[in-house]
Amino acid sequence: MTGTATVLQSELLPQGMDVSFKLAPAVLVLGMLATFLLIGFVFRVADTEDMWVAGRSIGNIENGMAIGANWMSAASYLGMAALIALSGFYGLAFVVGWTTGYFILLIFMAAQMRRFGKYTAPDFVGDRFNSDSARAIAAITTFLIAFVYAIGQARGMGLVGLYIFGDLGIPGLSGYQAMVIFMMTITVGYLTLSGMLGATKNMAVQYVILISAFLAGMYVVGWTQGYSTVLPQIEYGMLLSELGNEFTEPFANSSPYLWIATCFSLVVGTCGLPHVLVRFYTVENERTARWSTVTGLFFICLLYLGAPAYTAFGTRLYDLNSATGTTYGDPGMSGSTADVLVVIAAQFANLPQWFVGLVAAGGIAAAIATTAGLFITGSSAVSHDIYTNLINEDATQRQQILVGRLGIVSLGVLTTLAALDPAAPIAALVSYAFSLAGAVLFPMFFLGLWWENTNREGALAGMLTGLTIWTVPMINEVVPTYTSGSGDPFVPVLAQWVPAIGSALVAVPIVFAVTIAVSTVTDEPPMETKRVVRQCHSPEPMGQQQAAEDVVTDGGETPADD
């Protein structure tokens, strides 16, 4: 498949990066991590409301910053620069896809999800479709998304940590592997303590750190090297003629179909990611949900508009300073090197070590912030949706929080093990999770909110169809990386038309059609469920702790009927 070079396994150690212990950056990062732990302790969980939805107490600006930090993962801070560097125009599919998704959230889903008013994404699916089976599928999907997505974050933390701390010298482990274990241990430690309330408070701090580090690095690197003055987002165009056709020519490294498939999957995946949608449950009302989406998009665009400029600066500096001499060709820039291009650009610009450490700290903050959101949603799927709703309905709050913390630890262990030998660069790993969210969850959220006749049978058929379509290309493209080492897909024609990185383009229309068809030929959902859907679109305001179901049933509960 054209463009597979962007998603194949690469060397784990970045070329050209100074891998050694550096005192000033180490003090900076350790101080940052200690601050995260302190905030987590101060805002540690008191009950399940704090654990899963932060007591529905988060305001517009704070939630917008949390959305920004939760969203701008290592894939945004590090991986986007890597993709644009290695694949040029194809990398812009990530900028377009990830940004566009928020407009759909703003217009069609943010306020409606808040009015539905549950704790988690599987909560919505189970209650909307009156189905414990649908809840279980959504919970398993949520856990799987958190796992796949977090592998990219762990890889980013490991690579960036090498610049700051060097090789920790743990027997039997490479420097990269030891750093992954170290950084993930810190992350899991503060998350098991803090829950969603502490994580949200941390995300606001993490956003300030990551955006300050990214913008400072972009401006200083561009200015000191003579590439830009006050508007690097525009002025980086002066470099394009020096970077080679691969960087600027549309579809030089990928087909138009792959570009469209990737972009579409990222759009719908954004609207189906549980750790994004749960942000709407943490706010007071639907108005705050809408405005926090707007502010979050603004905060996100501060980084996204600058990513191509940073990539151009970094690629040029790599060409001038690396032993290979050029980004493209053989051997060219490796995937692991591209994944830390933001840090390498500051290093090759001969900036002070503490400043390069600040840029690296931003990458770690971005990875930890997103990992926090992923692990909270993944553990809530285990504790709230599977344990409490399906196994032990009489579970106490203490038991629920304990199971949730065990879920966080389990996710941390699984993610760490997978990240020791990841199957792809950061952005590709993250994109697999987006395709899964788009194929399985997005159609359920959209139809569940906008078509009241969507029923249990339709939802189950649609979700199983989406899960199947996502799994097949994953097996086709990811498994060969571990079995044969070549990375060549089992069935090349399948990889061409149903790529793992963009499988939602095929899956979503089919899932919509299956869900609608099955819902049409089976019994309509109960009238009470339809009233809840209608209440999600009512102009009447609701209280801070109210949900649409409370208004319709006057405080009653709608039981699952399968």
Side-chain angles (χ1 to χ4, degrees), residues 19-107:
V19 178
S20 63
F21 178 79
K22 303 170 184 67
L23 180 60
V27 171
L28 182 68
V29 170
L30 290 175
M32 179 184 73
L33 295 176
T35 301
F36 296 162
L37 288 170
L38 177 62
I39 293 173
F41 176 77
V42 171
F43 293 98
R44 61 192 180 277
V45 293
D47 53 33
T48 51
E49 283 275 317
D50 288 344
M51 185 73 177
W52 308 135
V53 293
R56 305 196 197 280
S57 61
I58 307 303
N60 170 25
I61 301 299
E62 186 177 13
N63 200 49
M65 296 174 74
I67 287 173
N70 197 17
W71 176 254
M72 286 186 292
S73 63
S76 293
Y77 194 99
L78 302 171
M80 188 180 295
L83 272 169
I84 297 174
L86 292 180
S87 52
F89 189 86
Y90 173 71
L92 295 181
F94 290 76
V95 178
V96 174
W98 281 336
T99 307
T100 305
Y102 271 91
F103 287 98
I104 297 178
L105 282 174
L106 173 63
I107 298 169

Side-chain angles (χ1 to χ4, degrees), residues 116-283:
F116 201 91
K118 295 298 178 178
Y119 286 103
T120 65
D123 231 0
F124 170 87
V125 172
D127 286 7
R128 166 59 182 86
F129 301 114
N130 302 297
S131 172
D132 284 343
S133 299
R135 183 191 301 274
I137 296 172
I140 293 169
T141 302
T142 297
F143 190 88
L144 188 57
I145 288 170
F147 168 61
V148 175
Y149 204 135
I151 296 172
Q153 312 313 308
R155 174 178 164 92
M157 285 189 276
L159 291 172
V160 173
L162 284 173
Y163 173 81
I164 297 168
F165 299 104
D167 189 339
L168 297 179
I170 298 179
L173 297 174
S174 68
Y176 163 80
Q177 293 172 330
M179 190 55 57
V180 167
I181 294 173
F182 171 69
M183 298 302 299
M184 288 300 294
T185 300
I186 296 291
T187 303
V188 170
Y190 109 79
L191 281 177
T192 53
L193 181 70
S194 64
M196 180 58 84
L197 182 60
T200 298
K201 301 297 182 183
N202 259 318
M203 285 175 190
V205 175
Q206 288 157 349
Y207 176 78
V208 173
I209 293 172
L210 75 90
I211 199 63
S212 299
F214 187 89
L215 292 179
M218 178 185 68
Y219 272 94
V220 172
V221 169
W223 185 74
T224 58
Q225 303 306 303
Y227 298 146
S228 68
T229 53
V230 295
L231 288 174
Q233 296 90 340
I234 297 175
E235 294 172 305
Y236 77 95
M238 65 185 290
L239 285 177
L240 296 184
S241 61
E242 304 176 37
L243 297 179
N245 291 338
E246 296 92 340
F247 192 90
T248 56
E249 183 181 338
F251 314 119
N253 296 310
S254 66
S255 67
Y257 178 82
L258 180 62
W259 197 99
I260 294 170
T262 302
C263 188
F264 180 86
S265 293
L266 298 177
V267 171
V268 296
T270 299
C271 300
L273 284 178
H275 77 287
V276 171
L277 295 174
V278 76
R279 298 298 336 156
F280 304 135
Y281 292 143
T282 65
V283 297

Side-chain angles (χ1 to χ4, degrees), residues 354-430:
W354 67 265
F355 187 88
V356 184
L358 173 66
V359 175
I364 292 175
I368 289 178
T370 298
T371 304
L374 292 167
F375 280 16
I376 292 294
T377 54
S379 65
S380 69
V382 173
S383 175
H384 179 72
D385 297 300
I386 294 179
Y387 177 70
T388 305
N389 282 282
L390 302 180
I391 298 175
N392 183 11
E393 294 182 359
D394 298 322
T396 64
Q397 290 204 4
R398 183 177 181 181
Q399 288 174 321
Q400 292 180 54
I401 292 174
L402 175 61
V403 173
R405 285 173 170 159
L406 290 175
I408 290 173
V409 173
S410 300
L411 263 173
V413 171
L414 291 172
T415 300
T416 301
L417 292 174
L420 296 180
D421 185 20
I426 295 171
L429 288 166
V430 168

